[in-house]
Amino acid sequence: MDPSQPQPTYSIDYLNQIAPQAPKRGFLSRKQTIIAAVLGGVILIVIILAIVLNAGSTTKQSQQLAARLASTETIVSDATGKIKSSQLRALNSNLKIYLTNTNRDIAAPLLKEGVTIGKIDKAVTTKEAGTDITDRLEDARLNAVYDRTYAREMAYRLETTMSLMRTIFQSTRNKDLKTFLDSAYTNLEPTQKAFADFNAANG
């Protein structure tokens, strides 16, 4: 080729067309695919652990509720002969009937949750025994302020029991237990309020 002759010029587009093409990569590189798989595995493990831990937590809370309802019935029965106010006696009598029925009816839905009433963990029954309440009530009886103290203690105990019912209701997938808790909560609410009102009026 004669250097004195003008050289042909090519457009950039033409040069791009004839240049060797780099091999196209897939949507994800091999490294990105491995990272995505590992992250997916970790997320799956976290979800499984959350389900398992939640199930264990619900079982423990269900045991706690059963133990608390049973010990509350004992406290209520013990108070029967010590209450002076006829209004509080009537309220206590209604609560005793409620607890007798509830303690009977809770057994079947709890069994589906893996909780057997007669085989509750001893640590749970000890914690929920309510010995602190019975001690305070005995002091109140000796100091002639039993009714007021009993109403206050029972209003608080029923309030915390209802809170525990709500927690279990929100976490369990046991439909029978949900139905039971919904009814038990609704029936207990006016009694709790009546104890709280009695305490406020006589405090």
Side-chain angles (χ1 to χ4, degrees):
M1 185 178 279
D2 187 352
S4 63
Q5 295 294 320
Q7 300 298 316
T9 58
Y10 299 101
S11 71
I12 294 294
D13 288 340
Y14 174 74
L15 293 174
N16 285 339
Q17 286 174 4
I18 64 170
Q21 299 295 315
K24 289 186 177 180
R25 289 188 171 184
F27 180 69
L28 293 174
S29 71
R30 180 181 166 91
K31 187 176 180 182
Q32 289 172 320
T33 305
I34 292 170
I35 290 171
V38 169
L39 285 175
V42 169
I43 290 168
L44 184 62
I45 289 169
V46 168
I47 290 170
I48 291 169
L49 279 174
I51 291 169
V52 169
L53 290 173
N54 184 53
S57 172
T58 304
T59 301
K60 190 86 170 179
Q61 289 168 338
S62 296
Q63 287 188 345
Q64 187 181 355
L65 177 61
R68 184 176 302 175
L69 288 169
S71 63
T72 303
E73 185 178 1
T74 302
I75 295 167
V76 168
S77 296
D78 185 61
T80 302
K82 300 173 183 175
I83 298 171
K84 300 282 190 291
S85 163
S86 57
Q87 179 191 347
L88 192 58
R89 267 201 309 270
L91 189 54
N92 197 59
S93 177
N94 289 338
L95 178 58
K96 188 174 187 319
I97 293 167
Y98 167 88
L99 289 167
T100 300
N101 294 334
T102 302
N103 283 324
R104 179 195 64 221
D105 296 341
I106 198 173
L110 281 187
L111 199 55
K112 290 188 177 180
E113 194 71 32
V115 177
T116 304
I117 294 291
K119 297 179 180 176
I120 294 174
D121 187 336
K122 190 167 183 179
V124 175
T125 55
T126 301
K127 184 181 177 185
E128 293 298 329
T131 50
D132 54 337
I133 294 174
T134 53
D135 289 346
R136 285 194 292 272
L137 289 174
E138 180 57 19
D139 286 344
R141 186 185 68 79
L142 295 171
N143 291 299
V145 288
Y146 188 88
D147 286 13
R148 186 175 64 211
T149 305
Y150 181 73
R152 182 184 69 242
E153 292 290 344
M154 201 49 60
Y156 178 73
R157 189 167 181 86
L158 297 181
E159 182 184 358
T160 58
T161 300
M162 289 165 61
S163 176
L164 183 56
M165 286 178 177
R166 273 196 309 268
T167 302
I168 298 168
F169 181 89
Q170 289 163 359
S171 60
T172 187
R173 289 181 290 175
N174 178 341
K175 288 181 180 178
D176 289 348
L177 186 55
K178 273 184 176 287
T179 301
F180 170 83
L181 290 170
D182 185 47
S183 173
Y185 183 98
T186 302
N187 292 332
L188 185 56
E189 192 171 25
T191 304
Q192 189 279 331
K193 186 178 185 307
F195 273 105
D197 290 346
F198 183 91
N199 179 55
N202 295 276

